[in-house]
Amino acid sequence: MVGYTCGHCAHTWSRPVETDVDVYDTVRVDLPDSTLYGTVWQVRTDRIQVRGAGGAWLRWVERWRVIIY
């Protein structure tokens, strides 16, 4: 299995990073203590801003944590 490394935080993982994430995509975010579902609000090279349903929350997450839902 091929490994990947984040250039921003040096975290390594084994699944491919979503490269075709667009604003308004619905995504799942896997965090250490929870899983969030929301809408992509902004996309940067190394991170993505995700908005909860109805604007309940807005959070930046590392790109490697995001899976298009």
Side-chain angles (χ1 to χ4, degrees), residues 1-6 11-19 21 27-31 48 61-68:
M1 183 168 278
V2 176
Y4 300 90
T5 302
C6 175
H11 177 81
T12 58
W13 65 97
S14 59
R15 71 169 179 80
V17 174
E18 301 283 2
T19 57
V21 177
V27 295
R28 181 180 91 200
V29 181
D30 292 330
L31 299 173
I48 294 172
V61 296
E62 294 92 352
R63 183 181 281 268
W64 62 268
R65 294 186 182 275
V66 175
I67 299 171
I68 298 174

Side-chain angles (χ1 to χ4, degrees), residues 9-44:
C9 68
H11 177 81
T12 58
W13 65 97
S14 59
R15 71 169 179 80
V17 174
E18 301 283 2
T19 57
D20 58 347
V21 177
D22 292 318
V23 173
Y24 304 124
D25 279 348
T26 300
V27 295
R28 181 180 91 200
V29 181
D30 292 330
L31 299 173
D33 57 347
S34 64
T35 300
L36 303 175
Y37 296 88
T39 304
V40 173
W41 215 241
Q42 293 186 56
V43 177
R44 298 284 187 256

